Amino acid sequence: MNYRTVFRPDLFAGKVVIVTGGGSGIGRCMAHELVSLGARVALVGRTIAKLESVRAELGGDAIAKIYSCDIRDATQVRATVGAILADFGHAEGLINCAGGQFPAPLRDISENGWNAVVRNNLTGCFLFMREVYVAWMEAHGGAIVNIGADFQGGMPGMGHSGAARGGQASLTFAASVEWAHAGVRVNMVQPGFIASSGLDHYPSSAAGTLRNVANHVPMKRHGTESEISAAAVFLLSEAASYTNGAVLRIDGGLHHNTNTSFYPLPEKAQSAPYIGVPLYKRPAVLDE
């Protein structure tokens, strides 16, 4: 099974990349592309069955190793990073892809709900960044890519996630300055509405919004997991050796259209999606 990547096959030969949230969706797609480029990957997640399935897709334990970890728990994160370094001996890259949220107006979000989303999307990101930096990258260099979301409009309807993603961006900026002397680059990718498996886990009440958002995107479609993966791969690569503290928004122009409500979008757009992984399946919610 060949991933249809646009990068050279040996780009990450001999290197190890940690992917949190590697058991499904965008993280799974990234793992496939990285392996196609010669990397070995450490897949981190909470559900072992999902991680095992991706490991089998990638070719087994020699290429991908799996680690069950609650990224919100500092003790577990420290132990997981230690286990990864014990197994592989090094880790040149880290992609923080794990996270999650649920739609709710601010007035209805409980303290527990708030904390769960902030810990998933911000605290877990920080803990993995810190542990990988202290345990390996501070002495050897490396690249970190944080996968976030476009928070600049506040994310009404998911304000807890907007607050966490804003913090994630600020964390990226701070680390890009503090860790640059060690040869560590820290950047962020902000996906727009991506046709990823995670969409099928939203409540049914959100289905119409998820389908209709494409009407507001200038490119008139959802993005694909492969389009996010390609951005992250670039930021990990040597081609981005002077890219540090950057935020790369992958949203088909949606951000700028939301700031320009007076512009009427054409009914159709000539935009073909890029899909690199043969195993990709479009979320069912988008076709109902």
Side-chain angles (χ1 to χ4, degrees):
M1 179 178 61
N2 295 320
Y3 191 100
R4 189 173 66 86
T5 183
V6 300
F7 300 95
R8 73 167 189 261
D10 62 346
L11 185 61
F12 295 112
K15 296 185 178 180
V16 172
V17 180
I18 301 168
V19 182
T20 73
S24 62
I26 294 171
R28 169 180 174 249
C29 181
M30 289 175 175
H32 274 274
E33 184 160 22
L34 289 165
V35 166
S36 78
L37 298 171
R40 292 186 295 163
V41 293
L43 303 175
V44 179
R46 280 188 287 179
T47 307
I48 283 291
K50 291 182 178 180
L51 296 173
E52 288 177 338
S53 177
V54 177
R55 176 174 60 183
E57 293 171 2
L58 295 172
D61 199 57
I63 296 172
K65 295 186 183 297
I66 62 175
Y67 305 86
S68 176
C69 177
D70 182 347
I71 64 170
R72 303 168 298 181
D73 185 295
T75 300
Q76 288 192 39
V77 171
R78 187 173 298 112
T80 299
V81 171
I84 291 170
L85 292 175
D87 288 340
F88 289 102
H90 51 100
E92 286 76 17
L94 166 65
I95 298 179
N96 276 310
C97 194
Q101 54 272 317
F102 58 89
L106 289 171
R107 69 178 303 280
D108 295 336
I109 299 174
S110 67
E111 182 179 359
N112 286 340
W114 173 273
N115 288 338
V117 170
V118 171
R119 290 178 68 204
N120 263 327
N121 294 335
L122 177 58
T123 304
C125 177
F126 163 68
L127 292 175
F128 248 94
M129 286 173 62
R130 183 189 66 185
E131 291 306 319
V132 172
Y133 178 77
V134 170
W136 177 262
M137 290 187 179
E138 186 172 22
H140 305 279
I144 297 171
V145 179
N146 297 322
I147 309 300
D150 187 358
F151 63 89
Q152 292 182 356
M155 295 182 71
M158 288 199 295
H160 46 1
S161 184
R165 300 304 191 175
Q168 194 181 24
S170 183
L171 175 63
T172 298
F173 301 153
S176 72
V177 174
E178 292 187 19
W179 297 350
H181 74 281
V184 177
R185 297 181 297 102
V186 187
N187 294 290
M188 185 176 188
V189 174
Q190 290 182 346
F193 283 86
I194 306 302
S196 182
S197 60
L199 295 188
D200 283 333
H201 298 292
Y202 279 83
S204 58
S205 58
T209 299
L210 294 174
R211 287 195 293 271
N212 294 331
V213 70
N215 294 323
H216 301 281
V217 177
M219 296 180 75
K220 291 291 181 176
R221 66 174 176 86
H222 291 75
T224 69
E225 296 169 352
S226 297
E227 289 164 334
I228 304 305
S229 180
V233 167
F234 162 71
L235 291 172
L236 286 178
S237 77
E238 60 188 326
S241 61
Y242 201 57
T243 303
N244 189 30
V247 173
L248 185 53
R249 189 185 295 118
I250 312 295
D251 70 348
L254 176 62
H255 175 87
H256 298 295
N257 185 50
T258 56
N259 293 330
T260 317
S261 58
F262 60 83
Y263 180 77
L265 290 176
E267 288 298 317
K268 297 182 180 180
Q270 298 182 29
S271 174
Y274 163 57
I275 300 173
V277 60
L279 296 175
Y280 172 74
K281 292 183 180 179
R282 181 176 166 88
V285 68
L286 298 183
D287 296 322
E288 292 177 359

